[in-house]
């Protein structure tokens, strides 16, 4: 039995190492190629270290304007998604109805719809209502595409906040909106952090939606402008592509650092419920 357990553990460790290597090699290529003056497709230690790749991409046309567009699109859509998800999840979590389960199943079904399957009618609709090639239209669609799963997540986190706290607030004259803003949402900090990070990351790396809905080059986000590094006839500026990828990943890393403390903690009930 001991030998079998050791063999299984060794096999599991080797499998995990293989998976880790599959993720670590692309990351190593990005970090090494960003400072390699002769970067290619191979993962190798550069002969010399240079910042020329970063200097080449840190320009308004290549990096600053696309990153600003991405921040406007993803930041606005994330705020809209989190706000709407909280308002939609609150009645689902606190009030019992026969429609709750069918509504949640409908939401679950909506999360499984591939975005490519609905982009053609969405494009036609945006042309009809004059929202094509507008940042606000793209923000609305980003929020709508992430809202079903955000509602599902928010509702599950909201179920973990004791109802007794709200009942005490209602006794003191608080309205449901006040109890949501002053009691439920502050206590479910980890849930808000998870929904915020998940929504932002899913929008930040989305190429297809802004590529379809935005037409003007000056409005393109970084997820679309990264395609400019792939030239004609298979020519790719690998060093500049890697340097741009490092800069492009920085806002997501900073967001995670900002909310990491919330993600690591539990619900801040702090003994509010006794007995």
């Amino acid at each position: 039995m001991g030998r079998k357990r050791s063999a299984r553990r060794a096999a599991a460790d080797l499998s995990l190492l293989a998976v880790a290597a599959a993720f670590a090699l692309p990351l190593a290529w990005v970090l090494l190629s960003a400072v390699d003056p002769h970067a290619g497709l191979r993962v190798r230690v550069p002969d010399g270290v240079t910042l020329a790749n970063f200097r080449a991409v840190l320009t308004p046309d290549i990096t600053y304007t696309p990153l600003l567009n991405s921040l406007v699109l993803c930041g606005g859509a994330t705020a809209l998604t989190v706000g709407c998800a909280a308002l939609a999840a609150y009645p689902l979590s606190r009030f019992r109805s026969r429609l709750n389960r069918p509504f949640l199943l409908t939401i679950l079904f909506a999360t499984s719809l591939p975005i490519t399957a609905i982009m053609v009618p969405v494009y036609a609709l945006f042309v009809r209502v004059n929202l094509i090639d507008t940042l606000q239209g793209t923000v609305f669609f980003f929020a709508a595409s992430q809202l079903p799963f955000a509602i599902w997540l928010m509702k599950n986190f909201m179920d973990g906040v004791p109802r007794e706290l709200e009942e005490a607030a209602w006794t003191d004259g608080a309205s449901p909106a006040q109890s949501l803003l002053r009691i439920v949402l502050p206590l479910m900090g980890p849930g808000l952090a998870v929904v915020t990070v998940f929504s932002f990351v899913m929008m930040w790396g989305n190429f297809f939606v802004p590529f379809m809905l935005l037409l003007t080059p000056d409005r393109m986000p970084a997820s679309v402008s990264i395609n400019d590094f792939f030239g004609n006839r298979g020519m790719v500026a690998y060093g500049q592509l890697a340097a741009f990828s490092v800069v492009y990943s920085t806002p997501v890393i900073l967001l995670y650092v900002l909310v990491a403390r919330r993600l690591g903690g539990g619900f801040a009930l702090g003994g509010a419920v006794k007995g």
Side-chain angles (χ1 to χ4, degrees):
M1 292 294 293
R3 292 182 178 179
K4 290 183 178 180
R5 289 182 180 178
S6 299
R8 291 176 181 175
R9 183 175 300 177
D13 292 341
L14 290 175
S15 301
L16 292 176
L17 287 175
V19 173
F23 283 94
L25 286 177
L27 178 60
W29 178 86
V30 170
L31 296 177
L32 294 175
S33 298
V35 295
D36 189 351
H38 307 290
L41 280 176
R42 294 169 49 189
V43 179
R44 67 185 186 91
V45 178
D47 298 332
V49 176
T50 180
L51 296 178
N53 294 324
F54 286 96
R55 288 194 293 267
V57 300
L58 290 177
T59 63
D61 293 338
I62 298 177
T63 300
Y64 297 143
T65 299
L67 276 182
L68 179 60
N69 293 336
S70 293
L71 290 173
V72 171
L73 288 174
C74 301
T78 298
L80 186 61
T81 299
V82 173
C84 293
L87 294 176
Y90 183 71
L92 293 173
S93 175
R94 289 300 187 258
F95 303 106
R96 304 302 176 189
S97 172
R98 296 179 180 178
L99 299 179
N100 283 8
R101 182 176 176 81
F103 184 75
L104 287 173
L105 292 177
T106 302
I107 290 176
L108 187 62
F109 171 75
T111 61
S112 64
L113 290 175
I115 198 71
T116 53
I118 62 175
M119 280 309 298
V120 172
V122 167
Y123 183 88
L125 175 64
F126 272 47
V127 171
R128 182 70 62 88
V129 298
N130 294 324
L131 284 178
I132 198 71
D133 197 25
T134 61
L135 294 178
Q136 60 267 29
T138 309
V139 166
F140 290 147
F141 184 76
F142 262 150
S145 63
Q146 295 299 322
L147 194 57
F149 196 70
I151 294 175
W152 187 273
L153 280 178
M154 192 78 74
K155 190 263 181 188
N156 290 331
F157 281 111
M158 204 169 286
D159 288 342
V161 179
R163 185 182 177 88
E164 290 81 0
L165 297 177
E166 289 183 88
E167 293 175 349
W170 294 340
T171 303
D172 293 336
S175 64
Q178 290 174 329
S179 64
L180 172 63
L181 293 176
R182 298 181 180 179
I183 297 176
V184 177
L185 293 181
L187 290 178
M188 51 176 293
L192 286 175
V194 168
V195 175
T196 300
V197 172
F198 177 83
S199 301
F200 186 86
V201 170
M202 294 299 293
M203 298 172 193
W204 187 260
N206 194 304
F207 168 84
F208 190 65
V209 170
F211 180 76
M212 291 291 295
L213 299 182
L214 296 174
L215 307 177
T216 306
D218 292 340
R219 296 176 182 173
M220 292 294 180
S223 59
V224 177
S225 66
I226 197 173
N227 189 52
D228 295 338
F229 292 100
F230 297 89
N232 296 327
R233 301 178 182 178
M235 299 297 295
V236 182
Y238 292 109
Q240 296 180 20
L241 174 62
F244 183 85
S245 299
V246 172
V247 177
Y248 177 53
S249 303
T250 302
V252 176
I253 297 174
L254 291 177
L255 176 64
Y256 178 77
V257 171
L258 290 175
V259 302
R261 188 173 301 177
R262 284 288 188 177
L263 287 173
F267 289 100
L269 300 181
V273 180
K274 299 181 179 179

